[in-house]
Amino acid sequence: MHWWSQQAFDAAAEAQAADPSPGNLMAAAQVQALVSLAEALHRIASVLEERDGAESVPHPRSPRPGPVEKRSAPARPE
């Protein structure tokens, strides 16, 4: 568990303990759902970064290199 998710869970638990009203129970459940979603997105991003680093194929949205042109170096004045 990441530090930010632990902070969110702790804050939700404190708010729930201070006022166990139905509204706070719903808010705590929403915080837990959002943290779970954030954790899942973090894992997906990590996998995509690892995959992109391991592949030599360019990313579909990155510009593809064109054909290599042979260019002569500019003549230097003597």
mmCIF file of all heavy atoms in Angstrom, residues 13 16 26-28 30-32 38 41-42 48 58 60 65 68 71 76:
data_model
loop_
_atom_site.group_PDB
_atom_site.id
_atom_site.type_symbol
_atom_site.label_atom_id
_atom_site.label_comp_id
_atom_site.label_asym_id
_atom_site.label_seq_id
_atom_site.Cartn_x
_atom_site.Cartn_y
_atom_site.Cartn_z
ATOM 1 N N ALA A 13 -11.215 6.830 8.186
ATOM 2 C CA ALA A 13 -11.527 6.133 9.437
ATOM 3 C C ALA A 13 -11.704 7.124 10.589
ATOM 4 O O ALA A 13 -12.613 6.958 11.427
ATOM 5 C CB ALA A 13 -10.415 5.137 9.765
ATOM 6 N N GLN A 16 -15.034 8.868 10.152
ATOM 7 C CA GLN A 16 -16.112 7.926 10.459
ATOM 8 C C GLN A 16 -16.232 7.721 11.965
ATOM 9 O O GLN A 16 -17.335 7.647 12.506
ATOM 10 C CB GLN A 16 -15.839 6.597 9.759
ATOM 11 C CG GLN A 16 -16.957 5.604 9.858
ATOM 12 C CD GLN A 16 -16.639 4.343 9.079
ATOM 13 O OE1 GLN A 16 -15.629 4.240 8.406
ATOM 14 N NE2 GLN A 16 -17.513 3.360 9.187
ATOM 15 N N MET A 26 -20.962 6.752 3.968
ATOM 16 C CA MET A 26 -20.935 6.779 2.510
ATOM 17 C C MET A 26 -19.648 7.447 2.020
ATOM 18 O O MET A 26 -19.016 6.976 1.074
ATOM 19 C CB MET A 26 -22.155 7.526 1.963
ATOM 20 C CG MET A 26 -22.182 7.614 0.451
ATOM 21 S SD MET A 26 -22.193 6.019 -0.376
ATOM 22 C CE MET A 26 -23.880 5.555 -0.141
ATOM 23 N N ALA A 27 -19.261 8.531 2.665
ATOM 24 C CA ALA A 27 -18.033 9.220 2.274
ATOM 25 C C ALA A 27 -16.822 8.311 2.461
ATOM 26 O O ALA A 27 -15.921 8.271 1.609
ATOM 27 C CB ALA A 27 -17.869 10.509 3.076
ATOM 28 N N ALA A 28 -16.784 7.565 3.557
ATOM 29 C CA ALA A 28 -15.663 6.645 3.793
ATOM 30 C C ALA A 28 -15.630 5.551 2.728
ATOM 31 O O ALA A 28 -14.557 5.186 2.233
ATOM 32 C CB ALA A 28 -15.774 6.033 5.184
ATOM 33 N N GLN A 30 -16.750 5.853 -0.312
ATOM 34 C CA GLN A 30 -16.317 6.494 -1.555
ATOM 35 C C GLN A 30 -14.808 6.706 -1.567
ATOM 36 O O GLN A 30 -14.160 6.521 -2.598
ATOM 37 C CB GLN A 30 -17.057 7.815 -1.751
ATOM 38 C CG GLN A 30 -18.525 7.640 -2.087
ATOM 39 C CD GLN A 30 -19.286 8.941 -2.105
ATOM 40 O OE1 GLN A 30 -18.867 9.952 -1.550
ATOM 41 N NE2 GLN A 30 -20.458 8.919 -2.742
ATOM 42 N N VAL A 31 -14.252 7.087 -0.426
ATOM 43 C CA VAL A 31 -12.800 7.258 -0.340
ATOM 44 C C VAL A 31 -12.108 5.928 -0.604
ATOM 45 O O VAL A 31 -11.148 5.856 -1.367
ATOM 46 C CB VAL A 31 -12.387 7.827 1.038
ATOM 47 C CG1 VAL A 31 -10.876 7.695 1.262
ATOM 48 C CG2 VAL A 31 -12.805 9.278 1.157
ATOM 49 N N GLN A 32 -12.609 4.870 -0.004
ATOM 50 C CA GLN A 32 -12.005 3.557 -0.216
ATOM 51 C C GLN A 32 -12.099 3.135 -1.675
ATOM 52 O O GLN A 32 -11.153 2.583 -2.234
ATOM 53 C CB GLN A 32 -12.658 2.524 0.689
ATOM 54 C CG GLN A 32 -12.313 2.736 2.148
ATOM 55 C CD GLN A 32 -13.028 1.767 3.070
ATOM 56 O OE1 GLN A 32 -13.913 1.025 2.650
ATOM 57 N NE2 GLN A 32 -12.654 1.790 4.344
ATOM 58 N N ALA A 38 -7.386 4.360 -7.722
ATOM 59 C CA ALA A 38 -6.078 4.978 -7.905
ATOM 60 C C ALA A 38 -4.960 3.941 -7.850
ATOM 61 O O ALA A 38 -4.006 3.994 -8.639
ATOM 62 C CB ALA A 38 -5.853 6.057 -6.840
ATOM 63 N N LEU A 41 -4.998 2.062 -11.167
ATOM 64 C CA LEU A 41 -4.422 2.883 -12.241
ATOM 65 C C LEU A 41 -2.905 2.987 -12.101
ATOM 66 O O LEU A 41 -2.180 2.991 -13.098
ATOM 67 C CB LEU A 41 -5.057 4.272 -12.240
ATOM 68 C CG LEU A 41 -6.516 4.329 -12.679
ATOM 69 C CD1 LEU A 41 -7.090 5.724 -12.465
ATOM 70 C CD2 LEU A 41 -6.651 3.905 -14.132
ATOM 71 N N HIS A 42 -2.437 3.063 -10.881
ATOM 72 C CA HIS A 42 -0.993 3.116 -10.638
ATOM 73 C C HIS A 42 -0.329 1.827 -11.116
ATOM 74 O O HIS A 42 0.733 1.854 -11.748
ATOM 75 C CB HIS A 42 -0.738 3.345 -9.146
ATOM 76 C CG HIS A 42 0.679 3.630 -8.809
ATOM 77 N ND1 HIS A 42 1.669 2.691 -8.855
ATOM 78 C CD2 HIS A 42 1.285 4.777 -8.418
ATOM 79 C CE1 HIS A 42 2.808 3.228 -8.505
ATOM 80 N NE2 HIS A 42 2.603 4.492 -8.235
ATOM 81 N N LEU A 48 2.581 -0.518 -18.004
ATOM 82 C CA LEU A 48 2.774 0.108 -19.314
ATOM 83 C C LEU A 48 4.168 0.715 -19.449
ATOM 84 O O LEU A 48 4.789 0.624 -20.502
ATOM 85 C CB LEU A 48 1.710 1.178 -19.549
ATOM 86 C CG LEU A 48 0.295 0.654 -19.768
ATOM 87 C CD1 LEU A 48 -0.687 1.814 -19.877
ATOM 88 C CD2 LEU A 48 0.225 -0.238 -20.997
ATOM 89 N N PRO A 58 8.353 1.426 -31.620
ATOM 90 C CA PRO A 58 7.894 2.746 -31.193
ATOM 91 C C PRO A 58 6.448 2.729 -30.743
ATOM 92 O O PRO A 58 5.649 1.920 -31.201
ATOM 93 C CB PRO A 58 8.057 3.628 -32.433
ATOM 94 C CG PRO A 58 8.442 2.746 -33.543
ATOM 95 C CD PRO A 58 8.721 1.372 -33.008
ATOM 96 N N PRO A 60 2.633 3.697 -30.566
ATOM 97 C CA PRO A 60 1.763 4.041 -31.697
ATOM 98 C C PRO A 60 1.543 5.543 -31.874
ATOM 99 O O PRO A 60 1.329 6.001 -32.966
ATOM 100 C CB PRO A 60 0.441 3.360 -31.372
ATOM 101 C CG PRO A 60 0.708 2.403 -30.288
ATOM 102 C CD PRO A 60 2.001 2.777 -29.647
ATOM 103 N N PRO A 65 10.162 7.165 -37.281
ATOM 104 C CA PRO A 65 11.297 7.698 -38.028
ATOM 105 C C PRO A 65 11.122 7.434 -39.516
ATOM 106 O O PRO A 65 10.659 6.375 -39.927
ATOM 107 C CB PRO A 65 12.490 6.925 -37.461
ATOM 108 C CG PRO A 65 11.912 5.719 -36.828
ATOM 109 C CD PRO A 65 10.502 6.069 -36.416
ATOM 110 N N VAL A 68 16.192 7.156 -43.775
ATOM 111 C CA VAL A 68 17.427 7.876 -43.492
ATOM 112 C C VAL A 68 17.963 8.434 -44.802
ATOM 113 O O VAL A 68 18.131 7.719 -45.775
ATOM 114 C CB VAL A 68 18.468 6.936 -42.835
ATOM 115 C CG1 VAL A 68 19.759 7.671 -42.609
ATOM 116 C CG2 VAL A 68 17.908 6.377 -41.547
ATOM 117 N N ARG A 71 23.194 12.745 -46.250
ATOM 118 C CA ARG A 71 23.481 14.152 -46.484
ATOM 119 C C ARG A 71 24.985 14.348 -46.363
ATOM 120 O O ARG A 71 25.618 13.802 -45.471
ATOM 121 C CB ARG A 71 22.756 15.036 -45.488
ATOM 122 C CG ARG A 71 21.267 14.949 -45.614
ATOM 123 C CD ARG A 71 20.614 15.899 -44.667
ATOM 124 N NE ARG A 71 19.156 15.730 -44.737
ATOM 125 C CZ ARG A 71 18.314 16.370 -43.976
ATOM 126 N NH1 ARG A 71 18.757 17.219 -43.107
ATOM 127 N NH2 ARG A 71 17.030 16.179 -44.107
ATOM 128 N N ARG A 76 33.588 23.189 -45.305
ATOM 129 C CA ARG A 76 34.185 24.148 -44.376
ATOM 130 C C ARG A 76 35.076 25.115 -45.171
ATOM 131 O O ARG A 76 35.851 24.687 -46.016
ATOM 132 C CB ARG A 76 35.030 23.446 -43.331
ATOM 133 C CG ARG A 76 34.203 22.614 -42.398
ATOM 134 C CD ARG A 76 35.086 22.076 -41.314
ATOM 135 N NE ARG A 76 34.285 21.266 -40.403
ATOM 136 C CZ ARG A 76 34.788 20.633 -39.378
ATOM 137 N NH1 ARG A 76 36.077 20.669 -39.147
ATOM 138 N NH2 ARG A 76 34.024 19.929 -38.599
#
